Amino acid sequence: MAALPARYALGVLLALFAAGAARAQSVPPHCDRSNFSICLNGVSTSVTNGANLRINGETNADVARKRLKRGAGDEMQAAMGRPQSGLSSGDLLGGWSAWVNYRGSWYDSDFVFNNESLAYDADTDRGTAGIDRLILDDRLLVGLSLGYEDTDTDTFYNGGGQDSDGFTVAPYGAWLINDNFSVDVSGGYTPLDYDQNRISPTDGTTTSSSFDADRWFFATNLNALAMVNSWVLGGRIGFLYTEEQQDGYVETGSAASAAAGTVRTVDDRDIDLTQLVLGGDIAYSFGALEPYALLIYRNDLSRDNGEDAGGLPGAFTSVQPDDDDEFEAGFGFRLFSSFGVTSTLEWSIIEGRDSFDGQNVSLTIRGEL
């Protein structure tokens, strides 16, 4: 009788092995140089535009708002049990403040249109530094930031990828209405360089292209802040507009690809995004340490992914899902020192969009001058 379970176990293992082998055999071939004929004849930008613009626009829009979370003077610091810097409230708020930030974003799409996959993975690394100060009786914040971003994208549907990089100049400001409410604004400009490559579906050779682009953004938020004992509550409603104008270009490829018409000519491409943002966060102060959690809802009021410029794979009429909203949830902590330096570490995930997921990590260090 003891052998019976053993035979059953062996049978289950054999069945699992057979099922795994069947699945392995059923996996369809993917676009690579040995299967170049199934590569979609589309440039990378035509598919990745929407997410790249959205991720980078959100990052820039947060500069002024997050400054207000970290600039409390000694009176507020004391009320929350934070370490004292030794500076007077006026010196701390009205003096100069400098900061640096690193933000990493990783996101991917597995969008399928007309039974064809348009999957890609992307990651963006961004470093930003800024300086600001409160003036006019410590009610008006003015500042300027300079950032560098680098985005690396793998586009599986055409066996290639896309790299872009550029510097951002972004002035920002805020008006402190009272102890509980504030309004912030920020705007900026980024000149970008793009490089793309893909596998030609004609002969498996590399088809490449390069072009320049210009991106602008404007963002504003109405913020609320309240303290209840050791709890710190925040909320906001905001608006973001960002636009990118990409130069037209002609791809470079093999003579066979050119003769077959698989080397693409792409017109100037204009993409834009208008978003409504609702968010809140809750923190608990342990004095020098302040952990917090956040939840943000974003809705795309309008967007143009620039499909009319061409470069789409085949006869595709859509390269982005129709969904228009998402949630971002995360947590982090702020660490306050007795010598006027604040550090903030934050992690978040993006969910809610069809066929799209993302996550971010951010580290900011701020010092009062």
Side-chain angles (χ1 to χ4, degrees), residues 105-366:
S105 300
W106 301 270
Y107 47 101
D108 63 83
S109 172
D110 56 2
F111 181 52
V112 175
F113 179 80
N114 199 25
N115 296 320
E116 294 279 7
S117 172
L118 293 175
Y120 65 86
D121 288 342
D123 61 79
T124 295
D125 294 294
R126 173 189 291 271
T128 309
I131 188 168
D132 51 48
R133 138 180 213 115
L134 275 161
I135 59 176
L136 299 182
D137 295 327
D138 299 337
R139 310 304 295 179
L140 177 64
L141 171 74
V142 291
L144 179 68
S145 68
L146 176 65
Y148 173 77
E149 69 179 62
D150 181 86
T151 300
D152 183 13
T153 306
D154 293 321
T155 47
F156 306 119
Y157 57 90
N158 64 8
Q162 176 192 83
D163 295 317
S164 67
D165 68 295
F167 286 92
T168 298
V169 178
Y172 60 93
W175 176 253
L176 306 181
I177 301 171
N178 54 39
D179 291 342
N180 299 107
F181 293 96
S182 65
V183 177
D184 68 67
V185 294
S186 57
Y189 166 68
T190 308
L192 293 158
D193 295 320
Y194 280 89
D195 294 301
Q196 299 181 142
N197 65 82
R198 62 188 181 90
I199 296 175
S200 168
T202 300
D203 56 5
T205 57
T206 297
T207 300
S208 59
S209 57
S210 298
F211 60 93
D212 297 327
D214 296 289
R215 184 196 302 145
W216 296 266
F217 82 94
F218 170 80
T220 184
N221 296 279
L222 173 63
N223 308 286
L225 179 67
M227 292 181 293
V228 181
N229 298 320
S230 295
W231 293 97
V232 186
L233 310 176
R236 63 159 166 152
I237 178 171
F239 170 87
L240 166 67
Y241 175 79
T242 183
E243 177 183 1
E244 184 171 313
Q245 296 180 353
Q246 301 172 356
D247 293 342
Y249 58 92
V250 178
E251 291 185 303
T252 300
S254 68
S257 297
T262 53
V263 172
R264 311 298 293 270
T265 297
V266 179
D267 295 333
D268 292 349
R269 191 189 307 275
D270 292 338
I271 58 177
D272 60 67
L273 171 69
T274 304
Q275 266 188 346
L276 173 68
V277 184
L278 299 172
D281 57 84
I282 180 171
Y284 189 87
S285 177
F286 291 97
L289 179 65
E290 189 175 285
Y292 65 92
L294 62 90
L295 181 63
I296 302 169
Y297 170 75
R298 299 185 180 92
N299 183 272
D300 302 342
L301 301 178
S302 67
R303 68 185 187 195
D304 182 354
N305 295 321
E307 288 91 343
D308 57 353
L312 304 184
F316 280 52
T317 58
S318 177
V319 291
Q320 297 283 335
D322 292 331
D323 61 330
D324 59 4
D325 59 358
E326 69 185 26
F327 286 93
E328 181 177 358
F331 62 88
F333 64 86
R334 306 180 188 102
L335 184 64
F336 301 89
S337 73
S338 60
F339 47 89
V341 174
T342 304
S343 303
T344 304
L345 180 64
E346 181 178 293
W347 174 84
S348 65
I349 58 173
I350 299 173
E351 297 287 351
R353 292 186 184 267
D354 295 338
S355 310
F356 179 88
D357 296 293
Q359 58 178 310
N360 305 294
V361 63
S362 175
L363 173 64
T364 301
I365 299 174
R366 173 181 292 278

Side-chain angles (χ1 to χ4, degrees), residues 72-81 84 87-90 92-93 227:
D74 278 355
E75 294 177 1
M76 182 178 287
Q77 302 258 9
M80 301 171 69
Q84 300 298 292
L87 300 174
S88 69
S89 177
L92 190 59
L93 282 173
M227 292 181 293

